[in-house]
Structures are given as C-alpha cells and as structure tokens.
C-alpha cells in the first residue's frame, strides 16, 4: 500500500479536503484536485492549461477587479516566495463567491523555479461563526452596559432621602384610590397621578408598576423639575459623544433604560414647553433620537406622570400643550391629602415607626393615645412626608418605647394655618432640630448625619441648599 502511494502521489492529493491548484511559470493550471472542483464548481478539464485567475480570482469581494499581476499566487511564480493569504474570496462557476484562506508555495526542480502550488480552504462557515460570536458578544456588552446603567440609577434612587410609607389606610377615599390602582395596573394605559406634595404619588406609581405585567423590568424615575430644558432632553433621550460641552461619552437616556418597563415622569407640570413636543412624539410614536444623533430609536414603555399642579389651568394659560395633556390624562388618579384621611393616621404611624425602628436601631412600640389625638387634630400641610419627619424627630428625642409629642405641632412643624408650607421648610426644621440635639456635631457616631441616617456629605449638601448654619 505504501509503495502504491509512493508510485502515485496524486492519490494523496486527490484525497485531501483542501483545494489544490498547480501552476507552471506561465500561470497555466497543471493540476486541479477534486476538492477544488467541489468548492468552485469548475471541472479540472475546464481549467487545465488555462490561466485560471480569470475564472476563480478575478474580483475582490466588493466587486472591484483583481488584476492578475497583483494576485499573490502569481507573485509566488515570479519571486519564488511563500505566502499565506487571508481575507480574500474565490468565485464559483455559478457566479457566487466564498471566503478563502490559502497558501501559495513555490515549486523547484534542480534548484530552478518551475511553478507554484496554491492550497486553499473555504472559511465561509468559520467567518459566519465568528461573526455570530461577535454579534453575541456585542449583545452581551449592550445588555451589560444597560444593566450597569440601570444599576447605577437604582443605587442613586435607593440613596435618596425619602422613605416610602407603604400604601396603608382604611378610609373610604383611600380605599377608592386603591381600587383605581388595581383596575388600571394590568393595562398599559398612561396614568396621571394628581395630589399635593408629600402625599405619596411616587409610591402609587411604583405600585402601579409592581402590579403590572412589566414588573420584572425597570421602573425609571425622572424628576422634570430637576433639570434645565437642554439637560432634561439629555436625561430623557440620552446623548451622543460630543453632542454638547461636557458630553465626553455617549449616554443612554431614561427612555432607553425604561424599555419594556415603566417610565415615571414626576412633576410633569414643570416640563419646559420645548420639551413637551418631543415627549408627545415619544408617547405617540414610541420613538426618539438621542441628542446629537439622527438615528431613530424605538422603545416599548408605559408612562406614568405625576404633578401637584393644575395642568388644565396651565393649558388655558398656554404653559402646557393641550395635546400632551390629553395624552397624559388617560386615567387620572388623585392621591388624597393626609387632611382628607385623618382616620388613617394610626395605621400610617404604625407603618412609619416600624421603618424608623429598622433605620435608627430603636425598639419603639408605638404612639400614646394623646399623641395620636394631637396628630389627628393637625391639618398636615406637608402630608405624609411631614408626618414622617415629626415621627423621626420624636423617635430620636425619645427615651421611652411609647412616643409622646415633645413639641407642639404648631411650633415644631410650623403653624397649621400656614398652607404655604413646603417640603424644604419641613426638612429644614427637622435638620435644625437634629443639629441642635447633636450640639451641631455633623460627623462621628453621635453626629447629626448618623442620627438622620445619611452620609455626612449629603447632610452638608442639604444644609447648603436649605441655607442652614449655626446662626439659623
């Protein structure tokens, strides 16, 4: 058997899986193996004795002509150098092409160059596999980037100085609101949440998301009052690198982060007019462009908006688009003020005290009957947030397991007839009280930052924002 192969080497050449061409110094084909025939569709008797560059190697992949004097196989015949070539194509008889890798090797006899041999293989499937892997890796990177951005966003959300009270209450007006939440949650309808500051509008929005089919996807919040018109568009729609000064890298907006989930637009009444038309387009078409980009992107989101403003009055005064108003006001839910549901105060206090026990490391059992009576006699212009601040202050001050009110509400939480009280005013009073209790010590285990349950840097930032100093 070995002798047979030695006497007829073509048996081996015909058996290999790679295509093999043999050429003389004129570039004519002198050998074509069966594998080359199978891959190209050209039979050996059609190519032997001919310059086959014009048959299988005449053009690049993009259709540009491939001159014979540039062909790496022919170059080997002229200079006798071995070559390994990737990234080219061979053409089949039917006009189709396939990606190849080949070697071009000189053939010598008696130290004289007499021709060349080209050995090639079809790498189309390999390239497809590699491309599929690159695509998969790109998708993984895209998802990883999105998850990282969502994670960063959620971490920032968790660090916000606002403790959710939970949707608790037995009053008729509150139970009516809960029924509305249950009805609209399973749908994709846009919800407009109305109510005074501090009533728990964000908590309603989060529960709408939790009870929806989108609950396994992101709940993304945007405070429309926190940004200028230009920065708000960047926050909502994202931006490309170099879109404006300071845009050092591309950034996904909240719409992209909320894809397949819920986007909560808080304080929608503060949205600038120039941004309202762009928001309207997203609500209508579910598509947008990043700032600095002309590429249209599509999203599948549910929008929930909230405001303490009278949007219809804003429409009539020209400060809010009427078409956007009707787009948002599909299913309005009004969150009642605490003044409207004072019978819920005992349940709310129980819920808040349970949270304060965890946050402050306390073991408070509840409120005295006298304290509950005092709380229910107050009108709560700051609503649940103000109630939370009062309870937190008393929890810090109290040395007993049952809370009493150590300060009159009309002094410690601002006079009840002051209907202009806002959250900043309540926070300022609360922070001042804790600072006084801590002898104005901010850091350390006995400092105000620890008692308030926030980082020292956050407390200092709030003090600057609220103009709090020792002379306050």
């Amino acid at each position: 058997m070995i002798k047979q192969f030695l006497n007829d080497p073509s048996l081996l050449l015909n058996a290999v899986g790679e295509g093999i061409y043999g050429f003389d110094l004129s570039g004519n084909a002198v050998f074509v193996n069966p594998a080359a025939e199978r891959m190209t569709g050209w039979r050996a008797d059609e190519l032997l004795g001919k310059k086959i560059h014009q048959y299988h190697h005449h053009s690049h992949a993009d259709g540009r002509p491939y001159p014979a004097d540039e062909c790496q196989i022919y170059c080997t015949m002229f200079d006798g150098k071995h070559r390994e070539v990737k990234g080219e194509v061979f053409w089949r008889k039917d006009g189709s092409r396939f990606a190849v890798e080949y070697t071009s090797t000189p053939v010598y006899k008696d130290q004289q160059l007499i021709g060349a041999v080209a050995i090639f293989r079809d790498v189309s499937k390999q390239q497809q596999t590699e491309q599929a892997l690159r695509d998969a890796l790109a998708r993984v990177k895209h998802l990883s980037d999105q998850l990282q951005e969502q994670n960063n966003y959620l971490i920032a959300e968790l660090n916000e100085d606002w403790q959710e009270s939970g949707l608790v209450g037995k009053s008729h007006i509150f139970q009516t609101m809960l029924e509305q939440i249950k009805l609209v949650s399973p749908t994709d309808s846009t919800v407009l949440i109305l109510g005074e500051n501090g009533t728990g509008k964000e908590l309603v929005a989060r529960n709408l998301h939790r009870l929806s089919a989108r609950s396994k996807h992101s709940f993304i919040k945007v405070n429309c009052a926190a940004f200028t018109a230009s920065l708000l568009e960047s926050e909502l729609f994202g931006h490309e690198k170099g879109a404006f000064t300071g845009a050092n890298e591309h950034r996904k907006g909240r719409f992209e982060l909320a894809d397949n989930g819920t986007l909560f637009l808080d304080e929608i009444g503060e949205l600038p007019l120039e941004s309202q038309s762009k928001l309207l387009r997203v609500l209508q078409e579910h598509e947008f462009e990043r700032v600095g980009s002309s590429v249209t992107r599509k999203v599948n989101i549910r929008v929930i908006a909230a405001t303490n403003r009278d949007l219809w009055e804003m429409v009539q005064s020209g400060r809010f688009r009427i078409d956007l108003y009707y787009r948002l006001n599909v299913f309005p839910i009004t969150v009642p003020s605490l003044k409207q549901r004072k019978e819920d105060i005992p349940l709310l206090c129980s819920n808040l005290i349970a949270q304060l026990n965890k946050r402050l490391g306390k073991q408070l059992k509840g409120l005295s009957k006298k304290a509950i009576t005092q709380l229910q006699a107050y009108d709560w212009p700051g609503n649940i947030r103000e109630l939370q601040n009062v309870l937190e202050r008393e929890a810090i001050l109290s040395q007993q397991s049952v809370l009493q009110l150590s300060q009159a509400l009309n002094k410690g939480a601002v006079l009840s007839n002051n209907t202009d009280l806002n959250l900043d005013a309540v926070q300022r009073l609360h922070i001042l009280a804790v600072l006084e209790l801590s002898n104005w010590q901010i850091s350390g285990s006995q400092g105000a930052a620890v008692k308030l349950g926030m980082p020292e840097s956050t407390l200092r930032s709030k003090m600057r924002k609220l103009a709090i100093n020792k002379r306050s």
Side-chain angles (χ1 to χ4, degrees), residues 277-290:
S277 59
K278 295 188 178 183
L279 173 60
L280 180 64
R281 179 194 169 193
V282 180
L283 295 180
Q284 290 174 330
E285 309 295 337
H286 295 280
E287 61 184 31
F288 65 96
E289 289 90 35
R290 289 179 182 170

Side-chain angles (χ1 to χ4, degrees), residues 35-197:
E37 291 180 311
R38 288 192 300 272
M39 281 188 271
T40 66
W42 294 103
R43 299 193 313 275
D45 58 16
E46 295 176 297
L47 301 178
L48 292 173
K50 298 177 181 178
K51 291 180 171 56
I52 64 173
H53 178 82
Q54 61 185 312
Y55 292 89
H56 74 93
H57 208 194
H58 51 77
S59 303
H60 293 283
D62 59 5
R64 290 180 296 110
Y66 197 149
D69 59 359
E70 296 178 7
C71 174
Q72 298 301 300
I73 300 172
Y74 281 11
C75 288
T76 294
M77 300 175 202
F78 299 142
D79 60 20
K81 294 181 180 179
H82 173 81
R83 289 174 168 80
E84 295 183 3
V85 181
K86 298 180 180 180
E88 293 192 357
V89 297
F90 280 0
W91 295 84
R92 300 185 182 95
K93 187 176 181 179
D94 63 9
S96 62
R97 67 176 188 268
F98 60 98
V100 293
E101 292 180 356
Y102 64 86
T103 60
S104 178
T105 305
V107 177
Y108 288 90
K109 183 177 182 181
D110 298 330
Q111 298 183 343
Q112 292 293 318
L113 182 64
I114 62 171
V117 171
I119 301 175
F120 64 92
R121 62 191 183 96
D122 184 346
V123 294
S124 300
K125 290 184 178 179
Q126 176 184 328
Q127 288 188 350
Q128 291 171 2
T129 301
E130 291 174 350
Q131 185 59 48
L133 179 60
R134 285 193 291 270
D135 292 343
L137 290 173
R139 286 194 296 272
V140 169
K141 185 178 185 303
H142 171 76
L143 290 172
S144 177
D145 290 345
Q146 185 173 21
L147 287 172
Q148 183 61 49
E149 292 184 24
Q150 290 175 353
N151 186 52
N152 291 340
Y153 173 82
L154 290 172
I155 289 173
E157 285 286 281
L158 290 172
N159 287 332
E160 285 190 353
D161 184 33
W162 189 76
Q163 297 293 310
E164 296 175 357
S165 65
L167 290 178
V168 293
K170 60 182 181 180
S171 62
H172 176 72
I173 192 171
F174 186 76
Q175 288 297 318
T176 300
M177 183 196 74
L178 292 184
E179 288 301 319
Q180 290 180 304
I181 293 174
K182 292 175 184 176
L183 283 173
V184 76
S185 289
T187 74
D188 269 346
S189 297
T190 302
V191 177
L192 179 62
I193 305 173
L194 306 168
E196 298 176 8
N197 280 334

Side-chain angles (χ1 to χ4, degrees), residues 45 53 106 109 115 207 254 265 270 297 316 338 351 378 394 422 440 464:
D45 58 16
H53 178 82
K109 183 177 182 181
N207 276 273
R254 303 292 172 89
L265 299 173
E270 309 302 323
R297 304 171 189 274
Q316 292 178 314
L338 189 52
N351 182 276
Y378 182 56
E394 296 298 343
N422 58 35
W440 285 85
R464 286 194 297 270

